[in-house]
Amino acid sequence: MFEIKYHKKISEISGPLILIKGVEGAKYLELVEIIVGEKERRLGQVLEVYEDKALVQVFEGTREIDLSETKVRFLGEGIKMPLSRDIVGRIFDGLGRVRDGGPEIIPEIERDINGAPINPYAREYPNEFIQTGISAIDGLNTLVRGQKLPIFSGSGLPHNLLAAQIARQARVLGEEEEFAVVFGAMGITFEEANFFIDSFEKSGALERSVLFLNLADEPAIERIATPRAALTAAEYLAFNLDMHVLVILTDMTNYCEALREISAARKEVPGRRGYPGYLYTDLASIYERCGRIKGKKGSITLMPILTMPEDDKTHPIPDLTGYITEGQIILSRSLQRKKVFPPIDVLPSLSRLRDKGIGKGKTREDHADLANQLFACYAKGKEAEELEVILGEAALTELDKIYLRFAEEFEKRFVSQGEYENRTIEDTLNIGWELLRLIPKEELKRIREEFIQKYLYPKE
Amino acid sequence: MKVGKIYKVSGPLVVCKGLEGSRMYDVCYVGEEKLIGEIIALSGDLTYIQVYEDTAGLGVNDPVFPTYQPLMVELGPGLISSIFDGIQRPLDKIREIAGDFITRGIILPALDREKKWYFKPLIKPPIEVFGGDIIGEVSETSLVIHKIMIPPDIAGELIELKEGEFTVEEPIGKIRVKDKIIDLKLYHKWPVRKERPYQKKLPPKEILSTGQRVVDTFFPIAKGGTACVPGPFGSGKTVIQHQFSKWADAQIVIFIGCGERGNEMTDVLIEFPKLKDPKSGEPLMKRTVLIANTSNMPVAAREASVYTGITIGEYFRDMGYSVTLQADSTSRWAEAMREISGRLEEMPGEEGYPAYLQRRIAEFYERAGRVLALGRPEREGALSVIGSVSPPGGDLGDPVVQATLRVVKVFWSLEDKLAYQRHFPAISWLNSYSLYQQDLIEDLSKKVAPDFIELSKEAMAILEKEAELLEIVRLIGKDTLSVNDRLILEAARIIREDFLHQNAFLEIDTYTSLKKQYEMLKICLYFYERAKKALNENRVTIEDIEKLKVRERIAKMKFIKEEEMEKEFSEIKKEIEECLK
Ligand SMILES: Nc1ncnc2c1ncn2[C@@H]1O[C@H](COP(=O)(O)OP(=O)(O)O)[C@@H](O)[C@H]1O
Ligand SMILES: [Mg+2]
């Protein structure tokens, strides 16, 4: 299929990069095939062309590549993903090649995995409420269709359980539409990947899933392509086949590390903590591929998962992610210690699209006010808790104590729920109102009077 | 014509040979697809070009076509209500041609070439004219009369001027410049990196009211002023910038989405046509120009987007309008500079930013100002510039924040702690400042009330005192405070929760006129004063005060309609008097 252009020799190897000299006509970002030894074929991509030289990153690593024997050939185009309806239910590797032993995909269309930016003028604003059945999300940090909402986690925290529960339970109320799950794994363990596959299988989502797997023991540089291949599949399903696609990408931290490795090998001026200065732009080229488009039925909702190194939210990976995504769900180790599941720390969590997805006709008229009030009360409760830790209970006023109690109950009854508990939005909001009954009425400043009348002490 | 050849491709940077004689900042078309690029460095026989489109697929020896023209914007009727990318290509037209995704090599004029505008001359030829003279006008939208001016760099004798319907390309008149005759059109071009000339700068004197209470009352910006909003993600930069675009007392609004989210631009596109200008009742979109170069669009065009925006802003300023420009976020612009600089292998400064970061930022904000415009009739225009800054981890030591603080006069510091408590706008009342307060005393006492600034100072003193007291409470508990101190805590709480806290998404709360801000603040302070008196005369206890019914009413002040203001506020005042008798 590819026209053979050149067989060249390599003049320099450095980390995951090789430099090829005496090239003519190499193109920026072109795909390269590297023939190692007798018959092993690896793929690479041109990162820079310069006079008669091409700098190539090798996805499968440079191990065993030598200067004299290894040959390369330029394939004349970028990395393309073959696409058809048949990708659904299949498993691919991190570069988008079939890895489940099944037949090759007979393409309807082939697309460059880098995609192209969605014209901002073509976007449709995401505003359809997705019920995940999880109160801390639905009630306070509501997910909407077409949103990019990452989970910021830490090693050992149950982000996988949470993501699987969301994938299992998420639905738009009152609609039966074609959906699909695209799962992109970057550098996670076999066990973790299996957990997801199992969970998809049990909920019957597996035959509606497309999996891209690059596991922990597989080539690290390949991870740079994995989310792009996954999103290329998602775009096809959403905007060509009208499906509602949920994309889960895990773990973005591994992706960023691969990027850092390339940057270091290129001796680029490093940004914060050694990550390249263009990390923001690079992550945006992934995250911004999600959304809705005017006149198209389908949508892409994106949940990247990342583990924050040292639980530090200001680390460049969560930091730059938060600057791009439409909010974040943050998991907390202290809630985990208190045996709260899911351990969602609602205060620093945020859904920026919440207000467009809730309210009358979508969830319920009182939703926004109630959520704002719950946030405010919980924040006060946490402050009281801090005060108690420093000064002891005696330092608390009556009101402080009320708030303290509220915070405890809130964590126990609102945030906590079972891994298989699927709460309706009504349930979630009602629990919220029940909790507010702990607070004196004149403190409820964030709620309009009419809703207090109607919901605080509803007449049976 | 000369054609260069590519020598190197590295991301958005292309180096080529064979373009000797090119000038800095000239535009080139790169490759067979004619991708748009701009020359950013020259060295020996090498020309360095930043390319405004994705460079994938370019290779050594591909052609480069010079234009010998700098990067320019088109200035004329058709700007208002439009949405452009960073190099002023109309995004709606791009969608018509290329579909929902932006593909490469699309060269499109910024202004519609087909649309006819009715031009009404305001002067009669023959007459001598100079750059900046207003010769006529076009009614562009129900909110904007577009003044047609002689381009700044032209002067001569106007020998013909027609009234009627014209496209932007059709000549509306003729002008004799020395012994050449030039056609005048409804539009002209101007290089984006060159400041548009004016007669002179004027000192700030009028408030740019924004309808945001914490801003107008405590940290106001002047018309023609500069301000920045730094803060970590989720602290409310974009929401407050949108609020300024919606409610600022300006005739023209330029909003630049610089390297941020696509959906935020969609939000503006959907909201602004629906929202009504508080003064005229017309849709806000009819005074707005949008520049959208979102984070996933090419990084070099992001670098250009702020210049495209500010040049358009200056153009409307020159007509004598008050213009505001919101750039969200200038950090993304700085990062674009950093990326290009890195590819040029320039010596990096702090955090990898180029050494000229400070200079570029200063030059950008320096293009703001209140000016006496060029040309006749004599007129004043103002261009106010507000930039968001997105420092890594919210750290204000970030070089972009620091460089910005050195030039702007207003600092609204957003804090994530406030955002977590859902106290919005999360502007820290302790760290923020405005250097315009002195300049605005006269204007404010005329527009609002003579004691407005006095009240604002009093309220701030209470907030500052609160911070001190809270420090004590944190160390030794509330019990040790005197009743007067406890009253201060209550008063501060009222100011914070019932005045400063303002929800952008609630209908009435979203915008508060200066007059209403004054009335609200007066109530807060009146309550404090009365309560203090009653307390000191032992007529009430602090516990009573904490539970007073009138406080619920004070809390709902923000939802009082502007029309019902007078009646409502005098009632509240009466009620305070009653219960603290
Ligand atoms: N004035 C406000 N009123 C109500 N909510 C606000 C306000 N400002 C910010 N918010 C909330 O904070 C979220 C983040 O604000 P945003 O402006 O997008 O932050 P940033 O641009 O700093 O990342 C918004 O989605 C909204 O929920
Ligand atoms: Mg923002």
Side-chain angles (χ1 to χ4, degrees):
Chain A
M1 196 169 60
F2 299 121
E3 161 202 353
I4 298 178
K5 288 213 299 205
Y6 299 106
H7 285 259
K8 282 289 161 220
K9 285 202 179 152
I10 297 168
S11 77
E12 216 176 292
I13 306 175
S14 148
L17 303 179
I18 57 180
L19 186 71
I20 304 156
K21 264 193 186 151
V23 189
E24 221 173 277
K27 307 287 184 201
Y28 176 61
L29 294 189
E30 179 178 9
L31 197 60
V32 179
E33 189 177 56
I34 301 121
I35 297 125
V36 188
E38 289 296 292
K39 51 182 178 299
E40 193 197 340
R41 281 159 205 279
R42 294 187 196 168
L43 289 177
Q45 187 174 30
V46 176
L47 290 185
E48 192 171 301
V49 292
Y50 186 56
E51 289 177 304
D52 65 337
K53 298 189 250 335
L55 183 69
V56 172
Q57 70 179 10
V58 185
F59 289 116
E60 287 109 324
T62 48
R63 196 170 35 88
E64 286 167 20
I65 293 184
D66 64 18
L67 295 181
S68 56
E69 295 299 315
T70 307
K71 294 195 189 79
V72 293
R73 79 184 169 137
F74 289 81
L75 300 180
E77 54 178 14
I79 309 178
K80 297 227 161 138
M81 169 95 197
L83 297 162
S84 84
R85 187 172 277 274
D86 299 335
I87 59 172
V88 178
R90 299 292 305 274
I91 305 177
F92 300 87
D93 73 1
L95 279 173
R97 295 172 297 203
V98 169
R99 88 175 254 168
D100 56 6
E104 291 292 323
I105 301 297
I106 299 164
E108 189 78 33
I109 186 172
E110 281 194 310
R111 290 224 177 108
D112 194 298
I113 64 163
N114 285 311
I118 300 180
N119 186 329
Y121 189 75
R123 282 185 189 267
E124 181 83 77
Y125 202 80
N127 59 6
E128 291 167 291
F129 168 65
I130 296 182
Q131 180 175 296
T132 66
I134 297 164
S135 294
I137 296 178
D138 294 353
L140 300 180
N141 298 294
T142 320
L143 176 67
V144 301
R145 207 177 239 175
Q147 182 170 14
K148 38 190 179 294
L149 189 64
I151 299 175
F152 288 7
S153 187
S155 42
L157 292 179
H159 43 267
N160 291 343
L161 289 183
L162 178 62
Q165 186 173 7
I166 293 170
R168 201 162 52 230
Q169 298 180 171
R171 62 182 40 80
V172 170
L173 297 180
E175 278 189 42
E176 280 309 320
E177 275 171 346
E178 249 202 305
F179 77 97
V181 176
V182 171
F183 180 73
M186 290 147 296
I188 62 171
T189 62
F190 173 76
E191 217 172 300
E192 283 174 292
N194 241 12
F195 165 80
F196 278 102
I197 296 173
D198 240 28
S199 156
F200 294 158
E201 184 154 30
K202 282 201 195 110
S203 65
L206 193 60
E207 61 260 32
R208 314 216 44 80
S209 303
V210 192
L211 277 57
F212 293 83
L213 302 182
N214 165 285
L215 301 181
D217 57 350
E218 290 172 342
I221 303 305
E222 195 175 287
R223 285 166 205 162
I224 292 175
T226 310
R228 298 190 160 82
L231 282 158
T232 304
E235 280 173 355
Y236 175 74
L237 298 177
F239 304 130
N240 289 64
L241 302 184
D242 294 338
M243 293 185 194
H244 292 290
V245 186
L246 173 67
V247 181
I248 298 174
L249 297 176
T250 181
D251 180 328
M252 287 306 291
T253 303
N254 295 333
Y255 167 85
C256 295
E257 264 153 27
L259 209 62
R260 178 168 66 173
E261 191 179 334
I262 295 289
S263 174
R266 292 183 73 177
K267 304 197 172 57
E268 289 170 338
V269 181
R272 279 206 310 148
R273 305 224 191 170
Y275 291 91
Y278 48 79
L279 184 59
Y280 173 84
T281 302
D282 187 276
L283 286 173
S285 74
I286 295 173
Y287 298 145
E288 277 284 328
R289 288 174 77 172
C290 128
R292 290 172 60 201
I293 288 179
K294 280 185 211 159
K296 301 265 185 195
K297 283 211 194 99
S299 63
I300 302 178
T301 307
L302 175 61
M303 285 210 124
I305 299 173
L306 56 90
T307 45
M308 300 180 277
E310 293 148 37
D311 292 350
D312 177 8
K313 192 164 71 85
T314 67
H315 183 280
I317 298 172
D319 189 50
L320 296 177
T321 296
Y323 269 122
I324 303 162
T325 53
E326 282 137 354
Q328 65 279 341
I329 302 291
I330 300 190
L331 301 190
S332 130
R333 213 169 280 282
S334 77
L335 286 178
Q336 162 90 343
R337 270 189 223 112
K338 286 190 195 167
K339 304 267 185 307
V340 173
F341 176 87
I344 296 175
D345 192 353
V346 299
L347 295 180
S349 295
L350 170 71
S351 164
R352 294 164 190 264
L353 304 184
R354 184 193 81 187
D355 291 296
K356 298 267 163 48
I358 64 175
K360 203 168 176 171
K362 294 186 170 166
T363 55
R364 215 169 69 184
E365 54 183 358
D366 55 318
H367 191 158
D369 286 17
L370 174 65
N372 290 339
Q373 188 65 65
L374 288 171
F375 271 123
C377 291
Y378 184 55
K380 284 203 177 131
K382 290 309 249 187
E383 263 173 42
E385 194 181 282
E386 241 175 74
L387 210 60
E388 193 195 18
V389 171
I390 304 172
L391 298 170
E393 209 193 321
L396 301 185
T397 63
E398 278 314 304
L399 197 56
D400 289 339
K401 283 182 199 153
I402 292 175
Y403 277 116
L404 183 62
R405 163 112 198 284
F406 171 87
E408 284 164 5
E409 290 297 310
F410 177 81
E411 287 170 7
K412 241 185 269 167
R413 288 161 59 196
F414 192 90
V415 180
S416 287
Q417 67 182 86
E419 197 192 326
Y420 285 89
E421 186 181 350
N422 190 354
R423 292 186 190 154
T424 65
I425 183 66
E426 289 279 330
D427 287 345
T428 292
L429 297 178
N430 292 343
I431 298 173
W433 280 105
E434 264 172 49
L435 291 168
L436 285 188
R437 283 176 210 140
L438 298 170
I439 306 280
K441 181 179 161 277
E442 62 276 12
E443 286 287 301
L444 305 180
K445 287 187 180 178
R446 305 277 169 105
I447 308 188
R448 274 165 281 183
E449 191 56 34
E450 49 192 295
F451 299 142
I452 293 196
Q453 296 293 336
K454 193 162 163 190
Y455 295 99
L456 192 60
Y457 294 106
K459 297 178 201 82
E460 288 307 310
Chain B
M1 197 172 79
K2 228 183 218 171
V3 177
K5 276 186 171 178
I6 292 185
Y7 170 78
K8 174 179 176 175
V9 185
S10 169
L13 180 74
V14 164
V15 186
C16 81
K17 277 188 171 169
L19 284 186
E20 292 82 358
S22 300
R23 294 169 308 171
M24 280 291 275
Y25 302 123
D26 277 358
V27 168
C28 298
Y29 295 125
V30 179
E32 296 294 354
E33 281 182 284
K34 302 211 160 157
L35 310 182
I36 305 168
E38 182 186 11
I39 296 174
I40 52 165
L42 295 164
S43 159
D45 60 342
L46 298 180
T47 307
Y48 294 76
I49 301 166
Q50 64 173 349
V51 181
Y52 293 128
E53 301 179 71
D54 181 13
T55 52
L58 289 179
V60 173
N61 288 335
D62 284 357
V64 177
F65 310 94
T67 67
Y68 302 109
Q69 297 254 322
L71 183 66
M72 301 210 258
V73 284
E74 293 186 353
L75 302 168
L79 289 169
I80 302 289
S81 306
S82 292
I83 176 165
F84 300 108
D85 77 355
I87 50 171
Q88 215 202 8
R89 292 182 304 178
L91 285 166
D92 52 343
K93 296 274 162 47
I94 291 186
R95 182 168 181 237
E96 275 169 30
I97 295 174
D100 299 324
F101 295 86
I102 300 175
T103 49
R104 304 189 302 176
I106 301 173
I107 298 174
L108 269 179
L111 299 176
D112 193 328
R113 291 299 190 263
E114 250 99 83
K115 189 166 163 78
K116 296 252 186 192
W117 301 97
Y118 191 85
F119 172 72
K120 200 173 95 200
L122 293 175
I123 54 172
K124 276 216 176 70
I127 182 171
E128 206 181 344
V129 289
F130 300 92
D133 284 358
I134 292 175
I135 55 169
E137 59 190 31
V138 162
S139 170
E140 187 172 354
T141 69
S142 49
L143 281 177
V144 178
I145 302 288
H146 195 116
K147 316 269 175 157
I148 305 300
M149 299 172 285
I150 300 287
D153 46 5
I154 288 182
E157 190 191 5
L158 185 69
I159 49 177
E160 188 189 327
L161 197 60
K162 295 183 271 193
E163 170 155 6
E165 301 245 324
F166 301 94
T167 67
V168 289
E169 281 284 20
E170 286 164 351
I172 54 166
K174 288 188 180 3
I175 180 168
R176 191 195 324 262
V177 180
K178 292 187 188 122
D179 37 51
K180 260 200 337 220
I181 293 191
I182 314 179
D183 280 339
L184 275 179
K185 296 177 183 173
L186 288 177
Y187 86 110
H188 65 270
K189 293 188 183 185
W190 189 262
V192 296
R193 295 186 195 275
K194 191 166 150 192
E195 183 180 23
R196 283 175 65 88
Y198 45 82
Q199 287 194 47
K200 68 170 183 195
K201 274 213 171 157
L202 305 168
K205 68 158 201 227
E206 213 186 321
I207 185 171
L208 176 73
S209 72
T210 67
Q212 309 307 299
R213 297 188 287 264
V214 57
V215 169
D216 295 351
T217 299
F218 293 109
F219 311 107
I221 175 173
K223 285 186 178 157
T226 52
C228 72
V229 214
F233 64 82
S235 58
K237 297 180 293 296
T238 302
V239 172
I240 197 112
Q241 290 277 36
H242 283 189
Q243 289 296 89
F244 295 149
S245 300
K246 287 173 188 168
W247 309 124
D249 168 27
Q251 289 151 305
I252 306 286
V253 170
I254 319 266
F255 189 92
I256 311 174
C258 175
E260 293 278 312
R261 301 178 184 87
N263 277 330
E264 290 172 348
M265 299 313 295
T266 313
D267 191 19
V268 175
L269 282 170
I270 294 173
E271 284 255 312
F272 279 39
K274 285 194 247 163
L275 291 169
K276 304 257 150 65
D277 173 35
K279 276 198 191 138
S280 62
E282 287 293 315
L284 287 175
M285 199 61 199
K286 297 197 166 172
R287 61 167 200 188
T288 308
V289 183
L290 298 177
I291 315 279
N293 211 96
T294 56
S295 57
N296 55 339
M297 287 161 74
V299 69
R302 188 198 298 170
E303 194 274 329
S305 66
V306 299
Y307 296 104
T308 297
I310 205 157
T311 310
I312 296 173
E314 287 172 340
Y315 172 63
F316 283 104
R317 171 205 70 189
D318 291 346
M319 292 179 203
Y321 288 129
S322 164
V323 183
T324 76
L325 177 142
Q326 278 73 240
D328 184 21
S329 160
T330 59
S331 291
R332 308 302 166 215
W333 162 51
E335 283 163 13
M337 260 190 264
R338 175 170 70 184
E339 176 162 357
I340 307 287
S341 160
R343 305 263 182 191
L344 284 172
E345 296 175 8
E346 290 171 339
M347 184 71 140
E350 230 181 314
E351 295 281 347
Y353 285 103
Y356 45 80
L357 176 76
Q358 165 74 44
R359 179 166 55 81
R360 290 273 172 92
I361 288 179
E363 279 166 1
F364 172 71
Y365 282 102
E366 201 44 38
R367 290 174 73 167
R370 191 164 78 91
V371 305
L372 192 60
L374 212 58
R376 300 161 297 177
E378 194 173 281
R379 58 200 186 265
E380 276 177 21
L383 172 57
S384 320
V385 175
I386 301 168
S388 322
V389 194
S390 319
D395 173 9
L396 296 178
D398 163 61
V400 185
V401 175
Q402 287 304 316
T404 306
L405 286 178
R406 251 177 275 160
V407 286
V408 301
K409 298 277 175 9
V410 183
F411 169 46
W412 296 305
S413 175
L414 295 178
E415 278 186 0
D416 49 1
K417 213 176 101 236
L418 291 172
Y420 295 164
Q421 297 165 0
R422 290 348 188 225
H423 174 102
F424 289 118
I427 295 180
S428 158
W429 50 90
L430 297 174
N431 296 338
S432 304
Y433 60 77
S434 163
L435 302 182
Y436 292 117
Q437 239 165 357
Q438 281 305 317
D439 303 314
L440 300 178
I441 292 177
E442 207 185 301
D443 189 45
L444 285 171
S445 52
K446 205 170 67 210
K447 266 198 195 118
V448 194
D451 59 341
F452 183 49
I453 293 204
E454 233 11 78
L455 290 185
S456 126
K457 281 189 183 150
E458 240 173 84
M460 185 51 70
I462 292 176
L463 291 168
E464 281 164 358
K465 183 79 189 165
E466 180 198 35
E468 268 172 47
L469 293 175
L470 286 180
E471 202 44 49
I472 297 174
V473 171
R474 246 188 297 278
L475 294 174
I476 46 180
K478 224 175 196 166
D479 300 341
T480 52
L481 296 188
S482 68
V483 285
N484 272 323
D485 285 347
R486 278 176 69 184
L487 181 65
I488 287 184
L489 289 186
E490 283 306 304
R493 186 167 160 197
I494 290 177
I495 296 170
R496 279 189 289 110
E497 294 182 0
D498 306 334
F499 183 83
L500 293 180
H501 180 260
Q502 185 173 10
N503 191 327
F505 304 113
L506 290 182
E507 209 183 323
I508 296 169
D509 203 18
T510 185
Y511 166 84
T512 310
S513 67
L514 287 173
K515 202 85 198 164
K516 185 175 159 191
Q517 295 184 29
Y518 169 71
E519 294 294 342
M520 287 175 74
L521 196 63
K522 219 160 70 172
I523 293 283
C524 297
L525 293 170
Y526 186 66
F527 177 84
Y528 172 61
E529 184 197 308
R530 282 276 142 170
K532 191 156 114 185
K533 194 144 183 281
L535 194 63
N536 291 340
E537 291 168 8
N538 291 320
R539 284 184 277 123
V540 289
T541 66
I542 183 76
E543 286 77 16
D544 295 336
I545 291 172
E546 285 168 358
K547 287 195 201 93
L548 279 179
K549 185 97 180 65
V550 70
R551 298 205 27 198
E552 265 181 68
R553 198 130 183 230
I554 296 178
K556 306 253 144 94
M557 283 190 302
K558 16 171 114 151
F559 302 112
I560 294 173
K561 294 201 177 95
E562 299 272 341
E563 310 86 79
E564 291 159 17
M565 204 154 76
E566 236 159 279
K567 179 175 132 276
E568 294 273 340
F569 283 115
S570 71
E571 274 178 30
I572 299 177
K573 197 166 167 215
K574 238 181 257 146
E575 207 176 315
I576 294 175
E577 265 161 38
E578 286 294 311
C579 65
L580 288 168
K581 253 207 302 261

